[in-house]
Amino acid sequence: MFRLTRPTPSAIEAFRLSQGGLEFSYAAAGMTRGAPPRGFAIDQVRVGLGSGADTWDRARAAIRSWRMFDLGWVELHEPAAPIQTGTTVAILVHVAGLWSLNAARIVYVIEDVDRFGFAYGTLPDHAESGEERFLVERASDGSVHYDILAYSRPNQVLARIGKPWVRDLQKRFGAGSLLAMTRAVKR
């Protein structure tokens, strides 16, 4: 959903609630657990966050509080949303004078001894169609990494027309998210 004006908080919440009960905008929910289906662009970025128990604890806390979205041009609604399967969020993006309101729902959660994160899938009114996984991992040497894996393709007409621009925004989001997580863990 693209707009020229910022939606009001009540409009964002109404949008989030209206999308919550809808089906995903793609058929293979959980696809970031395996190889991508045909026709999806693949984006993966990764960064080292440091090492040790404190870094691990801060990295998991940052995922739980959606800190990977602290980019300035992207807003998560509602930032207190629990990291659990079925949680629906709205993502508000403001770029080049356009506002884009998108909805996604958590498909699965990873909560192992050395891995924590989740994947969310796009809902019908998201500009893109696909799934994105946000994960922190602790290696045997104690080093902690943050990893994003996304499979996507355009879902709305403007996203199809502006595909090169949308792909650039996806790359920008990935790089910004790495920086946001690095800042969150270093605090």
Side-chain angles (χ1 to χ4, degrees):
M1 169 186 285
F2 292 96
R3 309 168 50 115
L4 294 174
T5 60
R6 179 187 177 90
T8 64
S10 60
I12 294 169
E13 182 61 6
F15 171 78
R16 187 184 71 77
L17 292 173
S18 74
Q19 294 287 297
L22 301 178
E23 297 294 320
F24 291 108
S25 63
Y26 60 102
M31 67 182 168
T32 52
R33 292 184 192 262
R38 289 179 171 245
F40 286 81
I42 304 166
D43 291 297
Q44 186 164 20
V45 292
R46 184 175 176 89
V47 68
L49 299 173
S51 62
D54 286 344
T55 299
W56 175 239
D57 291 342
R58 287 192 306 270
R60 287 182 299 155
I63 292 283
R64 279 191 188 96
S65 59
W66 301 83
R67 299 296 299 275
M68 62 284 224
F69 284 86
D70 291 348
L71 306 180
W73 56 280
V74 177
E75 296 175 23
L76 185 90
H77 295 269
E78 175 63 38
I83 303 299
Q84 62 188 36
T85 301
T87 295
T88 299
V89 295
I91 303 105
L92 182 62
V93 178
H94 184 228
V95 177
L98 287 176
W99 295 90
S100 176
L101 190 54
N102 304 278
R105 181 182 314 117
I106 295 180
V107 179
Y108 64 86
V109 176
I110 301 166
E111 197 159 5
D112 299 331
V113 173
D114 293 317
R115 298 173 69 222
F116 180 76
F118 67 94
Y120 69 23
T122 59
L123 296 170
D125 279 342
H126 197 292
E128 291 287 295
S129 176
E131 197 168 286
E132 193 159 20
R133 185 196 68 204
F134 304 91
L135 180 70
V136 290
E137 297 178 292
R138 179 172 51 180
S140 59
D141 66 359
S143 62
V144 179
H145 292 84
Y146 169 58
D147 185 87
I148 303 173
L149 173 64
Y151 301 154
S152 64
R153 62 182 173 202
N155 187 44
Q156 294 183 3
V157 173
L158 285 178
R160 284 186 199 101
I161 292 169
K163 188 175 178 179
W165 181 68
V166 171
R167 294 290 304 135
D168 184 60
L169 283 179
Q170 289 171 318
K171 303 275 187 209
R172 185 175 163 199
F173 173 81
S177 186
L178 298 181
L179 290 173
M181 282 293 288
T182 301
R183 283 191 308 265
V185 168
K186 300 294 182 202
R187 288 185 184 164

